[in-house]
Amino acid sequence: MTRLRRCFVCAADMLAPSGRHLTFSDGRRRRFPLACGSCGVLLDGQADTSRCRAHLSAALAGEVFVSDGQAEYGLDLYTLRIAATRFGRGVRPLDAAGRADLLHPHAERAARAGLYDLDGVQMPPVSLGLLCRPSELGGMLAGLPDWADDVAILLDAEAAPPRVVAVPGFRDGAVRVAARPLSENFAAQRNALQAMARHPWMLQLDADERLAPAAGRLLPALAALAEAGAVRSIGLARENRVDGILADVFPDVQYRLNRRDVTYAGRVHERPRLAGGWHESFFSLHGAIEHRLSRAHVEARSQRYEAMDPGRGRLEEAEALLRPYRD
């Protein structure tokens, strides 16, 4: 038996006592003593990782998901939407009550929803935005993914308007490079990059981050899933690899897939500014951003961020990043 330290859905180390209840389709109301503070899944006191994952996988394999009142876990529809992405699936509310549940997490009604494959959704592409230094530009251009047909690159340098750069395999005008000084304000830099998007949604990555091509190809379907639920921001899990070793800071969700009109706030550890709060966001588990760091960078980063924005540098994060991942 594998008892839970991390959430069996999203792998967050955020399980905590809970007083939440779910009401199932047969009218039974059930209390769950544990909840994940990240994705919101509910657990009973004897929940087992392997059993829960196997049960959820089977439950998400068909065309309709109906919560099992006898399972060792429970989900509302908001959490189900997150959980389904782990298996490459999307959810559709079955009625008006379900649509309301998505807008008001975490609902007490146990999840019921239609299911579909994300890779079967045809939607307009997503723009790709990249932040880097001038010295990193060559490597960025050489490694552009084939799923993007609109690429905007913003350099941390003296201000310069966008210019078209020819890249083999991309149509004329698809790749543009502009520049502006970071000026110790990450949100302002991301907002300038966001404004360069030609498509309604943009994914932003930094020079030391990568997203697997298969995960990138599902981004338009995720954007469609978001649009259907009045969501404006989508987070992706991030794997921090320090000198190649996966760090204990996981899933380290980064809200980088956003509608073009969404802006960021915060000089460091910036996050999207959403008028409706976190209800206008969710995160996906279909693939993780790979973040490659060195030990020296980790040790210096938090100190630098603290100097840029006193009190918000997350000085404690350096220790966690240097600790290898454990279940």
Side-chain angles (χ1 to χ4, degrees), residues 234-302:
I234 301 173
L236 300 181
R238 184 168 71 172
E239 296 178 346
N240 296 288
R241 296 191 177 274
V242 182
D243 293 331
I245 299 173
L246 180 62
D248 207 35
V249 179
F250 186 82
D252 192 24
V253 175
Q254 302 293 306
Y255 287 86
R256 300 286 191 77
L257 179 58
N258 294 286
R259 281 196 58 85
R260 182 172 50 202
D261 59 347
V262 169
T263 58
Y264 286 83
R267 297 181 68 86
V268 299
H269 298 300
E270 63 285 356
R271 292 177 68 87
R273 184 187 289 112
L274 302 173
W278 65 271
H279 298 180
E280 293 184 353
S281 69
F282 71 87
F283 63 90
S284 174
L285 301 171
H286 79 292
I289 297 170
E290 182 183 16
H291 188 204
R292 294 171 291 183
L293 310 97
S294 68
R295 183 183 185 92
H297 177 77
V298 169
E299 291 174 339
R301 189 182 76 153
S302 293

Side-chain angles (χ1 to χ4, degrees), residues 188-200:
Q189 199 77 344
R190 291 206 183 280
N191 292 340
L193 179 59
Q194 193 79 358
M196 294 175 67
R198 288 170 169 159
H199 295 311

Side-chain angles (χ1 to χ4, degrees), residues 132-193:
C132 68
R133 301 181 180 91
S135 61
E136 298 164 325
L137 178 59
M140 299 292 276
L141 293 174
L144 293 180
D146 61 5
W147 56 261
D149 72 350
D150 176 44
V151 180
I153 301 175
L154 186 60
L155 306 178
D156 175 12
E158 183 178 347
R163 59 184 174 87
V164 171
V165 176
V167 177
F170 287 80
R171 62 174 174 78
D172 292 345
V175 181
R176 293 158 295 134
V177 177
R180 73 182 296 279
L182 176 63
S183 300
E184 298 189 337
N185 190 325
F186 284 100
Q189 199 77 344
R190 291 206 183 280
N191 292 340
L193 179 59

